[in-house]
Amino acid sequence: MSATTIVLASASPRRSELLESAGISFRVLPADICEDQLPGEDPVDHVLRLAEGKARAAAERTDGRFFLGADTIVLCDGEIMGKPKDHADAQRMLRKLSGVPHEVVTGFAIYDRERDGALVEAVRTKVFFKHLRDEEIDAYIATGCPFDKAGGYAIQGGAAHMVRKIDGSYTNVVGLPLCEVVEKLRVLGAL
């Protein structure tokens, strides 16, 4: 398979690392689209719309056949938690997640230019945080890690000690449900 067959419409190094770990050849072309939630939009519909929008936006800018877009949110008590805006927002998010279960929802879309259609799917993983002390939260924020992560944390990094358990896909929490993505790439004939 040539490196131009699959295009990852994401700047996320974590998504790239996950695809590389599966031995998938791809190239990266981040898609810059508006990620605001539409009024009344269901969280799952939101991530699916953004994932497909990113895949199609990348397809408009380059050659290739398969375009993979993804979007991840953290959902806690009905609130969609994206990337924190600042220190106070990261602190608020981590305090809200402390000691309570929440969901990580990743929508992904694989747009097939040849067929002019996309396969889309959302994967949900339940994550259980331990109770976090204020000093743990502040120390984690001081690392700078929360600011480019949905919900303000990275399970694969400095926040691993905060997670008591998960129910579902670990790679989904990292940012790309690898098992499901690989299955869909095979269905489409990309692998």
Side-chain angles (χ1 to χ4, degrees), residues 23-35:
I24 296 172
S25 296
F26 64 97
R27 63 186 171 98
V28 173
L29 181 66
D32 187 23
I33 66 169
C34 177
E35 296 191 21

PDB file of all heavy atoms in Angstrom, residues 23-35:
ATOM      1  N   GLY A  23       0.728  -0.619  12.062  1.00  0.00           N
ATOM      2  CA  GLY A  23       1.428  -0.863  10.801  1.00  0.00           C
ATOM      3  C   GLY A  23       0.745  -0.260   9.587  1.00  0.00           C
ATOM      4  O   GLY A  23       0.954  -0.721   8.467  1.00  0.00           O
ATOM      5  N   ILE A  24      -0.065   0.759   9.802  1.00  0.00           N
ATOM      6  CA  ILE A  24      -0.809   1.367   8.699  1.00  0.00           C
ATOM      7  C   ILE A  24       0.009   2.501   8.087  1.00  0.00           C
ATOM      8  O   ILE A  24       0.497   3.377   8.794  1.00  0.00           O
ATOM      9  CB  ILE A  24      -2.176   1.891   9.203  1.00  0.00           C
ATOM     10  CG1 ILE A  24      -3.022   0.707   9.682  1.00  0.00           C
ATOM     11  CG2 ILE A  24      -2.894   2.682   8.122  1.00  0.00           C
ATOM     12  CD1 ILE A  24      -4.306   1.089  10.367  1.00  0.00           C
ATOM     13  N   SER A  25       0.139   2.463   6.758  1.00  0.00           N
ATOM     14  CA  SER A  25       0.798   3.553   6.031  1.00  0.00           C
ATOM     15  C   SER A  25      -0.221   4.656   5.772  1.00  0.00           C
ATOM     16  O   SER A  25      -1.326   4.389   5.307  1.00  0.00           O
ATOM     17  CB  SER A  25       1.345   3.050   4.692  1.00  0.00           C
ATOM     18  OG  SER A  25       2.346   2.098   4.910  1.00  0.00           O
ATOM     19  N   PHE A  26       0.173   5.883   6.059  1.00  0.00           N
ATOM     20  CA  PHE A  26      -0.729   7.014   5.882  1.00  0.00           C
ATOM     21  C   PHE A  26       0.107   8.283   5.805  1.00  0.00           C
ATOM     22  O   PHE A  26       1.298   8.277   6.097  1.00  0.00           O
ATOM     23  CB  PHE A  26      -1.722   7.109   7.053  1.00  0.00           C
ATOM     24  CG  PHE A  26      -1.073   7.392   8.378  1.00  0.00           C
ATOM     25  CD1 PHE A  26      -1.013   8.687   8.877  1.00  0.00           C
ATOM     26  CD2 PHE A  26      -0.486   6.372   9.116  1.00  0.00           C
ATOM     27  CE1 PHE A  26      -0.384   8.947  10.090  1.00  0.00           C
ATOM     28  CE2 PHE A  26       0.130   6.625  10.333  1.00  0.00           C
ATOM     29  CZ  PHE A  26       0.184   7.923  10.814  1.00  0.00           C
ATOM     30  N   ARG A  27      -0.544   9.350   5.415  1.00  0.00           N
ATOM     31  CA  ARG A  27       0.082  10.654   5.544  1.00  0.00           C
ATOM     32  C   ARG A  27      -0.880  11.587   6.259  1.00  0.00           C
ATOM     33  O   ARG A  27      -2.086  11.319   6.313  1.00  0.00           O
ATOM     34  CB  ARG A  27       0.545  11.206   4.200  1.00  0.00           C
ATOM     35  CG  ARG A  27      -0.511  11.473   3.206  1.00  0.00           C
ATOM     36  CD  ARG A  27       0.137  11.866   1.869  1.00  0.00           C
ATOM     37  NE  ARG A  27      -0.849  11.930   0.831  1.00  0.00           N
ATOM     38  CZ  ARG A  27      -1.431  13.056   0.417  1.00  0.00           C
ATOM     39  NH1 ARG A  27      -1.107  14.206   0.956  1.00  0.00           N
ATOM     40  NH2 ARG A  27      -2.337  13.023  -0.545  1.00  0.00           N
ATOM     41  N   VAL A  28      -0.341  12.655   6.807  1.00  0.00           N
ATOM     42  CA  VAL A  28      -1.126  13.557   7.652  1.00  0.00           C
ATOM     43  C   VAL A  28      -1.434  14.838   6.898  1.00  0.00           C
ATOM     44  O   VAL A  28      -0.547  15.458   6.306  1.00  0.00           O
ATOM     45  CB  VAL A  28      -0.350  13.884   8.954  1.00  0.00           C
ATOM     46  CG1 VAL A  28      -1.074  14.944   9.772  1.00  0.00           C
ATOM     47  CG2 VAL A  28      -0.140  12.614   9.774  1.00  0.00           C
ATOM     48  N   LEU A  29      -2.691  15.233   6.925  1.00  0.00           N
ATOM     49  CA  LEU A  29      -3.124  16.524   6.409  1.00  0.00           C
ATOM     50  C   LEU A  29      -4.235  17.033   7.328  1.00  0.00           C
ATOM     51  O   LEU A  29      -5.407  16.676   7.160  1.00  0.00           O
ATOM     52  CB  LEU A  29      -3.642  16.409   4.971  1.00  0.00           C
ATOM     53  CG  LEU A  29      -4.099  17.731   4.355  1.00  0.00           C
ATOM     54  CD1 LEU A  29      -2.929  18.694   4.184  1.00  0.00           C
ATOM     55  CD2 LEU A  29      -4.792  17.489   3.033  1.00  0.00           C
ATOM     56  N   PRO A  30      -3.863  17.816   8.334  1.00  0.00           N
ATOM     57  CA  PRO A  30      -4.880  18.294   9.277  1.00  0.00           C
ATOM     58  C   PRO A  30      -5.967  19.101   8.567  1.00  0.00           C
ATOM     59  O   PRO A  30      -5.690  19.842   7.622  1.00  0.00           O
ATOM     60  CB  PRO A  30      -4.088  19.188  10.234  1.00  0.00           C
ATOM     61  CG  PRO A  30      -2.680  18.738  10.102  1.00  0.00           C
ATOM     62  CD  PRO A  30      -2.528  18.295   8.671  1.00  0.00           C
ATOM     63  N   ALA A  31      -7.181  18.916   9.019  1.00  0.00           N
ATOM     64  CA  ALA A  31      -8.317  19.648   8.472  1.00  0.00           C
ATOM     65  C   ALA A  31      -8.751  20.695   9.495  1.00  0.00           C
ATOM     66  O   ALA A  31      -8.967  20.376  10.659  1.00  0.00           O
ATOM     67  CB  ALA A  31      -9.466  18.694   8.175  1.00  0.00           C
ATOM     68  N   ASP A  32      -8.858  21.908   9.048  1.00  0.00           N
ATOM     69  CA  ASP A  32      -9.250  22.998   9.930  1.00  0.00           C
ATOM     70  C   ASP A  32     -10.699  23.363   9.642  1.00  0.00           C
ATOM     71  O   ASP A  32     -10.993  24.011   8.636  1.00  0.00           O
ATOM     72  CB  ASP A  32      -8.327  24.194   9.704  1.00  0.00           C
ATOM     73  CG  ASP A  32      -8.562  25.311  10.705  1.00  0.00           C
ATOM     74  OD1 ASP A  32      -9.087  25.031  11.791  1.00  0.00           O
ATOM     75  OD2 ASP A  32      -8.224  26.471  10.389  1.00  0.00           O
ATOM     76  N   ILE A  33     -11.588  22.894  10.512  1.00  0.00           N
ATOM     77  CA  ILE A  33     -13.011  23.205  10.346  1.00  0.00           C
ATOM     78  C   ILE A  33     -13.527  23.789  11.657  1.00  0.00           C
ATOM     79  O   ILE A  33     -12.909  23.628  12.715  1.00  0.00           O
ATOM     80  CB  ILE A  33     -13.841  21.954   9.951  1.00  0.00           C
ATOM     81  CG1 ILE A  33     -13.850  20.928  11.082  1.00  0.00           C
ATOM     82  CG2 ILE A  33     -13.337  21.342   8.645  1.00  0.00           C
ATOM     83  CD1 ILE A  33     -14.852  19.801  10.883  1.00  0.00           C
ATOM     84  N   CYS A  34     -14.657  24.447  11.589  1.00  0.00           N
ATOM     85  CA  CYS A  34     -15.300  24.974  12.798  1.00  0.00           C
ATOM     86  C   CYS A  34     -15.804  23.792  13.618  1.00  0.00           C
ATOM     87  O   CYS A  34     -16.505  22.922  13.105  1.00  0.00           O
ATOM     88  CB  CYS A  34     -16.449  25.896  12.428  1.00  0.00           C
ATOM     89  SG  CYS A  34     -17.344  26.511  13.880  1.00  0.00           S
ATOM     90  N   GLU A  35     -15.419  23.753  14.895  1.00  0.00           N
ATOM     91  CA  GLU A  35     -15.799  22.624  15.739  1.00  0.00           C
ATOM     92  C   GLU A  35     -16.886  22.970  16.753  1.00  0.00           C
ATOM     93  O   GLU A  35     -17.117  22.226  17.702  1.00  0.00           O
ATOM     94  CB  GLU A  35     -14.552  22.068  16.441  1.00  0.00           C
ATOM     95  CG  GLU A  35     -13.551  21.512  15.461  1.00  0.00           C
ATOM     96  CD  GLU A  35     -12.426  20.720  16.114  1.00  0.00           C
ATOM     97  OE1 GLU A  35     -12.588  20.255  17.259  1.00  0.00           O
ATOM     98  OE2 GLU A  35     -11.383  20.553  15.460  1.00  0.00           O
TER      99      GLU A  35
END
